[in-house]
Structures are given as structure tokens and as C-alpha cells.
């Protein structure tokens, strides 16, 4: 499967989002991961659709918008208009409404992804596996960059990939988010993830292009 690297701009300088997006494209990133936090679903507040809109003209790369917000349904339209290519919503925020919300995202012509937090059973993603464009396994507690990868996430990724294979969706993108490093990415990919979010690993390195290449390699 194609490995895609999605640097998270959460760890970047917020005063230079446009330049950062251009630099990431030059450095070989596949997606730009935008961490939207509302101060409710997670304690911090980051940025919203206006920032995504501001980044949009600076890159042709897909904008991967990870909504860590309590009511993603009320904000969908804004992110679609802002130019999001992919919108991820948390099962913990949407509950039984997750599937409907994913369908609504897809109806806007945008790719839809469902996410689970570390304490949520991976089975919560099984219904979405039937039709979603991507599934995201959080490997840290959402809210902050630079945390340590939770090792139990590997088993969850493995079970999710096996489920996707069982239902004939072998090629479904499985994204992993949190604590990914050049050192642990190998076992994460072996477990079945193919879309790799990396904040600290990318922005904490002096050679961003080299780090992206090593994460992919
Ligand atoms: C955490 C965010 C992540 C974060 C990852 O809530 O969803 O995308 O930026 O950062 P690192 O790679 O530093 O763990
Ligand atoms: Zn994220």
C-alpha cells in the first residue's frame, strides 16, 4: 500500500501557516494535517475554518482536517467552503450519528474519515469501514503534539486492518495520529496503517525533507 505522510501543522509556527504549507509540499509531504480544536472536545483551542481557508491557496496538497470538536455537524459547511479535502470526525463526538455525518461530508464531495480516541474500542469504527474514505486511530490522547505513542494502538490498527480485509476493503486508508517517530513508524506500518501523521517528528527535525523521506521509507 502507498504510505502517505501527513505532517501536522499543530507543531509549526502559526504565524507562517502559508509558507509552511508551501515548504511541506516542496519537502515531499502527501497531505497537510490540520488539527482543529474547540476547547470543549479537547481543552486547547487551535484554529478553525478561516485558517484552513487561508492555507488553501498556498498548496495543492490535500488538506486533512482533523476536527477535535464537540459538534462537528454544525461546522461542516465552513470547512467544505474553506477547501478541506478530507474531514475527520470523532466517534466520541458523533456517537450513533457518525455514519450519517460521514455520508453528509461525502455528499459535499469531500472525503470522510471517522476517528477513535485511545480509550475507545476499535469496533466503533467497523460500521464506517464499509463506506468511509479513511479511518483514523489516535495513538495519543488528543489535544497536544509531542506526546508518547501508546503501544496498545498497534493491536487496534492490526484489528482494524484485518477487519477491512475481511470486508473486502483491503485498500482503505488507515491513518495513525500521535507520537509517531522515525524509530517507531516501521512497526506502525507493519500493523497496517498507511497514512502517517507526524507533528513533532517533522517540525522538531532540522532536515524536514529527510525526515519525511525516512518516515515513508
Ligand atoms: C493531537 C493531534 C495530532 C498531533 C500529533 O491531538 O491530533 O495531530 O499534532 O503530534 P505528534 O506527531 O507530535 O504526536
Ligand atoms: Zn490530528
Amino acid at each position: 500500500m502507498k504510505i502517505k505522510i501527513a505532517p501536522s501543522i499543530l507543531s509549526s509556527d502559526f504565524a507562517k501557516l502559508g509558507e509552511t504549507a508551501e515548504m511541506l509540499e516542496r519537502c515531499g509531504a502527501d497531505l497537510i494535517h490540520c488539527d482543529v480544536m474547540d476547547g470543549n472536545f479537547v481543552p486547547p483551542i487551535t484554529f478553525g475554518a478561516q485558517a484552513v481557508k487561508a492555507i488553501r491557496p498556498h498548496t495543492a496538497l490535500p488538506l486533512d482536517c482533523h476536527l477535535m470538536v464537540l459538534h462537528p455537524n454544525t461546522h461542516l459547511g465552513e470547512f467544505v467552503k474553506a477547501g478541506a479535502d478530507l474531514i475527520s470526525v470523532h466517534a466520541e463526538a458523533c456517537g450513533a450519528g457518525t455514519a450519517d455525518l460521514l455520508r453528509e461530508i461525502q455528499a459535499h464531495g469531500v472525503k470522510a474519515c471517522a476517528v477513535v480516541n485511545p480509550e475507545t474500542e476499535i469496533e466503533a469504527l467497523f460500521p464506517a469501514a464499509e463506506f468511509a474514505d479513511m479511518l483514523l486511530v489516535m495513538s495519543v490522547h488528543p489535544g497536544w503534539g509531542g506526546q508518547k505513542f501508546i503501544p496498545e494502538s498497534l493491536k487496534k490498527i492490526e484489528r482494524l486492518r484485518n477487519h477491512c480485509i475481511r470486508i473486502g476493503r483491503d485498500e482503505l486508508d488507515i491513518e495513525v495520529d500521535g507520537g509517531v517517530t522515525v524509530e517507531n513508524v516501521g512497526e506502525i506500518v507493519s500493523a497496517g496503517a498507511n497514512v502517517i501523521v507526524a507533528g513533532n517528528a517533522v517540525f522538531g527535525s532540522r532536515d524536514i525533507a529527510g525526515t519525511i523521506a525516512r518516515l515513508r521509507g
Side-chain angles (χ1 to χ4, degrees):
M1 268 190 100
K2 188 178 184 307
I3 306 298
K4 299 177 214 172
I5 308 301
S8 163
I9 54 173
L10 179 63
S11 302
S12 77
D13 180 348
F14 279 18
K16 299 182 184 158
L17 291 176
E19 287 159 73
T20 299
E22 290 167 15
M23 177 275 289
L24 290 173
E25 186 168 342
R26 280 197 306 276
C27 288
D30 298 282
L31 303 153
I32 295 182
H33 187 82
C34 305
D35 285 305
V36 175
M37 304 186 190
D38 69 347
N40 283 295
F41 183 75
V42 288
I45 298 175
T46 53
F47 53 78
Q50 255 184 300
V52 172
K53 187 178 171 194
I55 297 166
R56 182 68 287 173
H58 290 272
T59 179
L61 291 180
L63 300 180
D64 167 21
C65 298
H66 176 193
L67 304 191
M68 285 161 276
V69 306
L70 209 49
H71 303 292
N73 53 315
T74 61
H75 299 284
L76 278 192
E78 295 163 40
F79 285 94
V80 171
K81 265 204 222 128
D85 296 279
L86 205 155
I87 296 178
S88 300
V89 294
H90 272 261
E92 297 84 7
C94 311
T98 306
D100 284 349
L101 199 56
L102 294 174
R103 299 260 190 221
E104 198 182 324
I105 295 168
Q106 289 175 328
H108 284 292
V110 172
K111 290 186 175 166
C113 170
V115 194
V116 285
N117 278 339
E119 65 277 6
T120 305
E121 294 290 323
I122 198 66
E123 283 75 12
L125 291 181
F126 286 8
E130 305 283 338
F131 67 95
D133 300 293
M134 185 166 86
L135 300 171
L136 166 53
V137 179
M138 287 306 298
S139 44
V140 297
H141 296 284
W144 301 271
Q147 302 180 73
K148 248 178 89 86
F149 182 86
I150 299 172
E152 288 74 28
S153 314
L154 290 173
K155 281 261 157 345
K156 291 174 83 176
I157 295 166
E158 218 172 273
R159 285 187 34 222
L160 187 59
R161 178 57 72 195
N162 286 336
H163 177 74
C164 291
I165 294 168
R166 247 190 332 266
I167 63 169
R169 298 209 67 205
D170 312 38
E171 297 293 308
L172 181 55
D173 282 336
I174 296 181
E175 186 175 51
V176 64
D177 185 3
V180 180
T181 64
V182 167
E183 288 71 37
N184 66 15
V185 70
E187 53 183 351
I188 293 167
V189 168
S190 299
N194 70 305
V195 184
I196 309 298
V197 176
N200 212 49
V202 167
F203 289 98
S205 90
R206 264 188 246 158
D207 172 16
I208 290 189
T211 301
I212 290 175
R214 274 194 292 282
L215 285 167
R216 187 183 282 107

